[in-house]
Amino acid sequence: MRLRNLVVAATSLMTTAFLLLAVAGAQTDVTGTWKVTVESQAGTGNPTVVLKQEGEQLTGTYKGQLGEAPLKGTIKGSDISFSFKVNVQGQDLQVDYSGTVDGKTMKGKVKLGDLGEGTFAGTKE
């Protein structure tokens, strides 16, 4: 009986370890170039965002109507967020993206400092 309990416990432990590895391996890799469409009260923009992922940390660049700027962010599961600062007409503007990633697509909200909010959708090239 004791041996049977050990076998059952070992099998359960191996199954749990396998599932944890599968979940960890399921992390989306967002490294690459993303074509993004932003919709806000100010209009529509189509920036390019280049991301580099190391674990949950993101770095990269934004290039669009607001200029070009380095960005930083995080990805945790399917939740993504990144931000950058640009200078618009002599004023620093903090831009914050937050949303979700599903394979080669992402979508969510963008906050344009005190200028308002909008939505975004992106596709990985």
Side-chain angles (χ1 to χ4, degrees):
M1 193 64 150
R2 213 176 213 185
L3 181 59
R4 182 171 186 249
N5 289 343
L6 285 173
V7 170
V8 170
T11 303
S12 295
L13 183 61
M14 288 174 25
T15 302
T16 302
F18 176 76
L19 290 173
L20 288 173
L21 287 172
V23 169
Q27 173 77 25
T28 300
D29 183 7
V30 296
T31 297
T33 301
W34 292 79
K35 295 294 183 184
V36 180
T37 299
V38 176
E39 301 278 345
S40 72
Q41 295 172 346
T44 301
N46 297 104
T48 299
V49 174
V50 178
L51 297 173
K52 181 179 178 187
Q53 179 178 341
E54 292 182 19
E56 292 184 342
Q57 301 302 307
L58 300 175
T59 57
T61 57
Y62 161 92
K63 186 174 184 180
Q65 289 177 306
L66 299 175
E68 189 169 341
L71 63 81
K72 288 187 177 184
T74 60
I75 181 162
K76 295 180 182 181
S78 64
D79 295 331
I80 188 168
S81 63
F82 55 91
S83 57
F84 57 90
K85 286 185 181 179
V86 290
N87 190 289
V88 178
Q89 298 178 350
Q91 299 291 320
D92 283 337
L93 178 67
Q94 173 81 25
V95 180
D96 300 307
Y97 283 73
S98 62
T100 57
V101 177
D102 184 10
K104 292 188 174 191
T105 62
M106 73 169 88
K107 63 182 177 179
K109 295 185 178 187
V110 58
K111 184 169 191 249
L112 304 164
D114 294 333
L115 299 179
E117 296 183 357
T119 59
F120 76 92
T123 304
K124 187 176 181 181
E125 293 188 325

